[in-house]
Amino acid sequence: MPIASIDPASGKELRHFQPLADAAIEERLARAARAAAAWRRTPVTERARVVRAAGELLEREGDRFAAIMTSEMGKLLSAAREEAAKCAVACRWYADRAGELLANEPVEVEGERSYVAWQPLGVVLAVMPWNFPFWQVVRFAAPALVAGNVGLLKHASNVPQCALALEELFTRAGAPEGVFQALLIGSKEVERVLADPRVAAATLTGSDGAGRSVAAIAGKHIKPTVLELGGSDPFIVMPSAELRQAVTTAVKARTLNNGQSCIAAKRFIVHEAIYDEFLRRFVPAMEALRVGDPTLPETQVGPLATTQVREDLERQVAESVGRGACLLTGGHRIDGPGYYYQPTVLSDIPESAPAFGEELFGPVASVFRVSSIEEAIRVANATRFGLGASAWTNDDAEIARFADEIEAGSVFVNGMVASDPRFPFGGVKQSGYGRELAAVGMREFMNMKTVRIRLAGSEGTDTE
C-alpha cells in the first residue's frame, strides 16, 4: 500500500511513495551497521562539525523546510519556520558541547587511573510522529550523531516528504553514507527492524499504544528504549495569578500546533475565586481565533493533520457532552475541504467523560472549577499521563507544592510548557520513560563504561 502525502488544508494528495521492499530494508540495515562501525571511530570534532552544518542548513533554508512541514501536516507556516529555527539551535547546542558531554569522567582511586567512559551503542531506530515532524527527529538525531550513534528514521506515514528531507539534510551536512537514513515503511515493519540484531536501541514519540508495542518488542530482545508518549497536561490558575497573562497564555498553550502537541495545555484547572472571570475572558478569546489556510499570516489555527485525527476528536467531544459536559463554544468540524475543527471549550466535565483525563489532540479546552490547592493537585494528577504541567500563582507556598506534588516530567510556573535543549524532557506514568535533550538525553543511548587501570607497583584492593 503506497505511503501518501496528503495536504490537510485541502484533503488532496500531494505525492505518494512505495514502501521499501524487503531487499531495500536489508540494504539499509547493512549500510547502517557498516556506518556505525566507522562513525564511532570518527573524531568527536568531525561528528560535531556535521551536526553543526545541519543546523546551519536548517537556519539558511528554513523557509523551504517549513513549506514541506506545512504542506504535509498543516501546521501554521510561521510555526513551521520557528520549528526549523529551534532545530538549528539544538544542533548548535550539541555541537558546541560535544567534547564536554563526551569527555571521560575521572574517578579518584589510590593506585589507579580510573574513569567512566561514554561510548555509543550503535544503530538506533527512531519511530517519530507527525506533529513536530522536524523537531521530534532532530532532538533525537543531534545528540545521537554527536555521540557516535547512527540513526534509522521510521517517520509517521503521513509525512514521508519530511522524512526524506531530513535524510537529505544530514547527507548535505556531510554525514557519511548510512549515518542517517529514512525508512519509508509501514508500522507493521517496525518489529522486524527493531528485532534485527544490528539495531541496538530504539526511541519512540507517539501514542501510549505505540509505546507499549515498541517497548514489548525491545524488551523481548533486551534493547534499551526511550518513550515519549501522550499527555493530558494541566494548566492551573490560582487567585494570586496575573489573570490577563494567564488567559493569553492559556489560549496559546491550547492551540499550539493546532492543538496537536503532547505538551499542549489541555485541562484548565481554575480556582473558584477567579473561575467565572477566567471563563469570561477565555471563551471569547477562543471564539475569536481565525481558523483557515495555514500558509496565510493572519491564520491562527490551521487544519488537523488527518481525517482520522478529526474523527477521533469529534468522538471524544460528543461523548463528553453526552455524559454531561457543558459545551461553551465550538464542538463541530468546519464544513468544506480540509480537516478543520472549531476551537472548543468544555466545562462541568464528569470523571466518566473522555475530556476529563484522556488526551484530546486538537483545539479543545477542558475547564475545571476547584476550591483549593489540594483539589487542584488532585485533579491535575487524575490522569494516566504525566508529561508536563503549568501552574499560575504568585504564592511561594503554592509554588513549592505544585513543583513537588504534581506528577509530571516538567512543571512550569507562570509560563507555558516547552522543550529546551538545556533541560531533560520526558514524562512519568503512561507518558513514557527515559529523557531526551540535555546531557542525559545524549547518554540514554550510550554505554556508561567503567574503566579501572591499576598503576604499576601499586597495591590495589579487590572487592566485589
Side-chain angles (χ1 to χ4, degrees), residues 55 96 110 134 155 206-207 213 233 244 257 259 266 270 332 352 382 400 405 426-427:
D96 289 347
E110 186 177 352
F134 271 57
H155 219 325
S207 69
S213 175
D233 285 12
R244 180 192 60 80
N257 205 38
K266 299 181 178 77
V270 185
H332 301 284
S352 62
E405 298 179 37

Side-chain angles (χ1 to χ4, degrees), residues 383-454:
T383 173
R384 69 182 190 272
F385 297 112
L387 191 54
S390 178
W392 291 74
T393 175
N394 287 302
D395 182 292
D396 288 342
E398 290 177 349
I399 290 172
R401 289 196 63 184
F402 287 135
D404 183 57
E405 298 179 37
I406 292 178
E407 298 166 352
S410 300
V411 175
F412 284 61
V413 178
N414 299 328
M416 189 173 79
V417 178
S419 56
D420 183 312
R422 298 171 295 179
F423 294 89
F425 181 80
V428 296
K429 302 196 286 190
Q430 292 188 31
S431 286
Y433 54 75
R435 291 295 181 266
E436 297 176 297
L437 300 177
V440 67
M442 171 181 280
R443 291 172 174 176
E444 289 282 5
F445 297 119
M446 302 197 76
N447 175 20
M448 183 171 57
K449 179 184 285 186
T450 294
V451 179
R452 302 183 65 173
I453 304 166
R454 185 173 296 174

Side-chain angles (χ1 to χ4, degrees), residues 68-403:
I68 298 171
M69 289 185 250
T70 296
S71 69
E72 286 205 304
M73 59 73 52
K75 68 168 64 246
L76 300 185
L77 188 58
S78 58
R81 292 191 187 104
E82 292 170 0
E83 182 169 335
K86 186 172 184 176
C87 291
V89 169
C91 288
R92 281 196 299 272
W93 194 89
Y94 280 104
D96 289 347
R97 292 162 180 80
E100 168 194 341
L101 295 173
L102 297 172
N104 294 340
E105 298 180 4
V107 179
E108 294 297 326
V109 180
E110 186 177 352
E112 293 186 9
R113 179 165 61 86
S114 302
Y115 57 91
V116 175
W118 298 95
Q119 298 182 336
L121 295 182
V123 180
V124 182
L125 172 65
V127 182
M128 294 287 106
W130 46 262
N131 56 336
F132 291 93
F134 271 57
W135 172 239
Q136 299 282 177
V137 176
V138 168
R139 76 186 194 194
F140 149 73
L145 268 58
V146 164
N149 292 301
V150 305
L152 288 173
L153 170 63
K154 191 287 180 211
H155 219 325
S157 293
N158 59 318
V159 289
Q161 294 187 85
C162 288
L164 295 174
L166 285 158
E167 180 182 71
E168 176 199 8
L169 168 72
F170 286 105
T171 299
R172 290 177 57 203
E177 183 183 54
V179 165
F180 188 90
Q181 300 178 87
L183 300 178
L184 294 188
I185 58 175
S187 56
K188 292 181 180 179
E189 297 297 329
V190 169
E191 179 170 4
R192 167 193 172 177
V193 174
L194 181 51
D196 191 284
R198 291 166 291 190
V199 173
T203 180
L204 175 140
T205 298
S207 69
D208 50 331
R212 287 191 193 95
S213 175
V214 164
I217 298 164
K220 181 179 178 182
H221 297 277
I222 322 294
K223 297 182 180 183
T225 52
V226 170
L227 303 181
E228 194 265 279
L229 309 179
S232 186
D233 285 12
F235 187 106
I236 303 168
V237 187
M238 300 298 285
S240 66
E242 206 297 299
L243 192 59
R244 180 192 60 80
Q245 185 181 5
V247 170
T248 299
T249 306
V251 174
K252 181 180 179 181
R254 178 57 286 209
T255 57
L256 173 73
N257 205 38
N258 307 333
Q260 301 164 120
S261 170
C262 295
I263 55 170
K266 299 181 178 77
R267 296 177 300 129
F268 297 84
I269 301 165
V270 185
H271 192 280
E272 62 184 9
I274 53 170
Y275 179 84
D276 290 339
E277 181 63 16
F278 178 87
L279 283 182
R280 190 184 70 79
R281 299 183 186 203
F282 182 63
V283 174
M286 290 287 284
E287 288 176 332
L289 292 169
R290 294 185 294 275
V291 182
D293 185 341
T295 66
L296 299 178
E298 63 269 23
T299 299
Q300 294 169 293
V301 179
L304 299 180
T306 69
T307 184
Q308 186 63 57
V309 171
R310 185 169 67 171
E311 289 173 5
D312 289 344
L313 189 65
E314 285 179 312
R315 175 189 54 77
Q316 289 172 306
V317 170
E319 187 175 338
S320 295
V321 172
R323 295 193 179 191
C326 180
L327 180 64
L328 300 182
T329 189
H332 301 284
R333 68 169 62 194
I334 296 175
D335 293 333
Y339 311 134
Y340 293 94
Y341 192 86
Q342 296 173 331
T344 298
V345 181
L346 301 171
S347 67
D348 303 316
I349 302 160
E351 291 193 22
S352 62
F356 186 90
E358 291 184 13
E359 180 174 37
L360 273 62
F361 229 51
V364 177
S366 303
V367 186
F368 300 83
R369 182 200 300 261
V370 294
S371 60
S372 65
I373 186 172
E374 288 78 17
E375 188 179 6
I377 292 170
R378 181 189 67 79
V379 174
N381 291 338
T383 173
R384 69 182 190 272
F385 297 112
L387 191 54
S390 178
W392 291 74
T393 175
N394 287 302
D395 182 292
D396 288 342
E398 290 177 349
I399 290 172
R401 289 196 63 184
F402 287 135

